[in-house]
Amino acid sequence: MNAAESMAAQSTSTPEARPRSGVRVNVQQASFAHVTRRQSAPVFTLEATSFQARERELVAILGPNASGKSTLLRLIAGSIPPLSGRVELDGFETSRLETRTRAQRIAMVQQESPLVFPVRAGDYVLQGRHPHGRSLWFESEEDYAIAANALAQVGAEHLRDRWMHEISGGEKQRIVLARALAQQPLLLLLDEPTLHLDIGAQVELLARLRRLAEENRYTVIIVTHELSLAAEFADQVVLLHRGKCLRVGTPAEVYQRELLEQVFEAPLDIESGPEGRPRVIIQGRRELRSNLSSGSSSG
Amino acid sequence: MRPLTLRRMLWTCGLLCVTLLAVVVLALRLGAVPFPLADLGQNILLLITGHPEKVSTDFRLIMVDIRLPRILLGILVGAALSVAGASFQALLRNPLADPYVLGVSSGSALGVILALLLAPAIPLMTPLGAFLGAVATIAAVYLMGRREGHLDSGTLLLAGIVSASFLSAVIMFLMTTLASRDLRGIAFWLMGDLSTTLPTSLLWTLLIGFILAAGAIFTTASDLNLLLAGEREAMHLGVEVTRVKLVVYISASLLTALAVSVSGAIGYVGLLVPHVMRLLFGSDYRLLIPTSAIGGAIAVVLADTLARTIVAPTELPVGAMTAMVGAPMFIYLLRRRLA
């Protein structure tokens, strides 16, 4: 048993201690196993994970690659059913909602997927109205107004008539976010939204998500590798490591040097910043202590 | 960004219908026996107003019994192939998909030939054979085109092209060993040919089949727009991906089968027409499905008119005409995509 696992054992009491009132997303001992072939051992498992999120709250799911972040996000989105436990949105199990109802309540911004045919940014945002319409319908005035408003909320009105394949990565990310806003969801999920963005665009995106959560009363859950950004903007972080949920809590509660160094296998330093938010400093010149590297090779 | 409204859709389709009508008139006039336009109008008027006895027998024989059914068949086949092509492009997320390129037409043709060989006496066996051939081929090509769980665009096209070549070889084998009667006829039919005269009842059956299948696809049009962005994304936007894929898969196979069972494998219509329509009217499937149907009708009637007249009195198979235009276009699109 390495240091991270021992810390996981102590941390389980943290989420239970949080107040339960106004809980919108309730992940209760949810687990999952990826199975490629029947009767063979699962290739990846996510062990029982619990946390709660209220409206206007921004939650960051952190962890190194293959720690189960995206799996947890898909569990929350309801696109895969949990193996055990429950994932609820306002008391409804997300994986049991009808596809259309789910899309009216949960919007998901995924990692970039290529477009087959050219589409204009405005039309792309309008696609977010799909779950609110019927299969054979023309968008109403209201749909156009909502789409225009969504574009305004991400500051991209000027991109409306541009082609999606001609705009920059940061602009594209804003359009994709606008489409999610046009869905008018309760819960906004984003899978590594800061990927391929420069630092300015990353900060802008997180600040925007913070503001949107506040103004539109969303619950926002993001998967990210950006420890510093999560520390700065998240109300709550969920730390995953090799399919285990190690910690749930405020950034200050979770960001402890030993724990993060163990999980991310990188020499780090944690400072305390304003409002008690931690700051992560990468210690490039310091070697990881030897007991840590031997611990990681055995796993 | 122009909003898509019912008004805009009707105007666009109306415009295309007028073009189709002009092409039909042209096709009626041209041929081994040309008729002046005035005669044509006068005679059609006489027929419509219920005075068929005043119309010359020549006119009736050539126009009403030979050219008109052939044009109507061309309209149906063109519409069916184009809608099938547009559907396969969305279903497989591949802009180069087309019933012919994917080998679905060849599979359908093999189904027809097997049905003719095994059960020539049973009436509905040929369309059924065509349908089963289409469904089996697209399933096989889809499975072969998958790599590590993902649909690979290049692999998919190769799988389709190789399947087409394999199926054609099987057809050749069957034809030469078993059915030696009418080789030129079958060879013509395989290239895509509209010259077979069909009973009116069959034309009606085709029309109903087309309306059902194309209609089913049309009801999923706005889902298809989202499916093009990826299955997971579509699911998160409220598309019941499995149901939509099944509906489109069955319907597009049905449309291909319907076209192949009466006209053989006319290639590239399903590739060419949706692309031109996208350039003209944008890539929204709610508009693309109806415009592709009418555009496909225009394209095939035009191609068939050319095929009838270009070396008159000899005729070319219409598939040769569409391939001559379509194959270079395919290469152009492929290169532009890779650039």
Side-chain angles (χ1 to χ4, degrees), chain B residues 76-271:
Chain B
L76 265 176
V77 165
L81 287 175
S82 299
V83 174
S87 310
F88 282 131
Q89 285 157 21
L91 193 65
L92 302 169
R93 311 215 314 121
N94 193 323
L96 294 173
D98 161 85
Y100 184 75
V101 175
L102 290 173
V104 184
S105 295
S106 306
S108 214
L110 181 60
V112 168
I113 289 180
L114 282 177
L116 284 175
L117 288 174
L118 298 175
I122 308 168
L124 275 175
M125 276 309 275
T126 36
L128 184 69
F131 176 66
L132 292 179
V135 168
T137 313
I138 189 67
V141 169
Y142 180 82
L143 289 177
M144 284 190 280
R146 280 175 79 90
R147 275 167 79 167
E148 291 156 12
H150 292 284
L151 206 53
D152 181 79
S153 165
T155 317
L156 183 82
L157 286 177
L158 274 180
I161 289 162
V162 170
S163 304
S165 132
F166 173 76
L167 291 165
S168 302
V170 174
I171 291 172
M172 271 312 155
F173 175 81
L174 288 177
M175 269 167 49
T176 40
T177 50
L178 299 168
S180 55
R181 292 162 290 164
D182 185 11
L183 266 183
R184 188 173 175 278
I186 294 185
F188 239 66
W189 172 76
L190 280 177
M191 271 303 273
D193 181 37
L194 289 168
S195 61
T196 340
T197 22
L198 298 167
T200 328
S201 62
L202 189 60
L203 266 179
W204 279 109
T205 319
L206 288 181
L207 181 68
I208 292 166
F210 170 76
I211 289 173
L212 286 179
I217 293 173
F218 186 60
T219 61
T220 67
S222 61
D223 297 322
L224 289 181
N225 284 332
L226 302 182
L227 212 53
L228 277 169
E231 290 182 15
R232 271 194 199 176
E233 292 209 8
M235 194 260 292
H236 287 299
L237 287 165
V239 177
E240 286 171 50
V241 174
T242 317
R243 182 186 63 85
V244 169
K245 278 174 73 180
L246 193 69
V247 166
V248 174
Y249 165 61
I250 298 284
S251 307
S253 302
L254 196 68
L255 287 174
T256 310
L258 190 147
V260 170
S261 63
V262 291
S263 66
I266 302 179
Y268 299 102
V269 176
L271 175 78

Side-chain angles (χ1 to χ4, degrees), chain A residues 199-217:
Chain A
I199 294 197
Q202 291 185 5
V203 173
E204 192 189 279
L205 177 70
L206 264 293
R208 177 166 282 130
L209 288 175
R210 234 319 2 130
R211 204 170 57 239
L212 287 170
E214 202 57 49
E215 287 170 5
N216 299 358
R217 308 175 73 184

Side-chain angles (χ1 to χ4, degrees), chain B residues 262-298:
Chain B
V262 291
S263 66
I266 302 179
Y268 299 102
V269 176
L271 175 78
L272 216 68
V273 173
H275 270 283
V276 173
M277 293 302 142
R278 267 190 204 99
L279 285 177
L280 291 175
F281 309 113
S283 46
D284 191 323
Y285 266 75
R286 289 171 291 178
L287 193 56
L288 189 66
I289 297 288
T291 53
S292 288
I294 309 170
I298 294 174

Side-chain angles (χ1 to χ4, degrees), chain A residues 74 79 99 102-103 108 110 113 116-118 122-124 127 130-131 135 137-139 144 161 179 183, chain B residues 1 3-4 6 9 93 95 218-219 222-223 225-226 228-229 232-233 235-240 278 283 286:
Chain A
R74 290 179 67 199
S79 47
T99 314
R102 197 159 63 211
M108 170 84 124
Q110 311 206 56
S113 62
V116 183
F117 293 112
D123 288 320
Y124 193 83
Q127 291 181 350
H130 185 271
S135 59
W137 99 118
F138 297 98
E139 288 86 358
Y144 279 95
D161 294 319
R179 182 175 74 175
Q183 279 176 259
Chain B
M1 191 176 115
L4 181 63
L6 189 62
M9 194 155 112
R93 311 215 314 121
F218 186 60
T219 61
S222 61
D223 297 322
N225 284 332
L226 302 182
L228 277 169
R232 271 194 199 176
E233 292 209 8
M235 194 260 292
H236 287 299
L237 287 165
V239 177
E240 286 171 50
R278 267 190 204 99
S283 46
R286 289 171 291 178

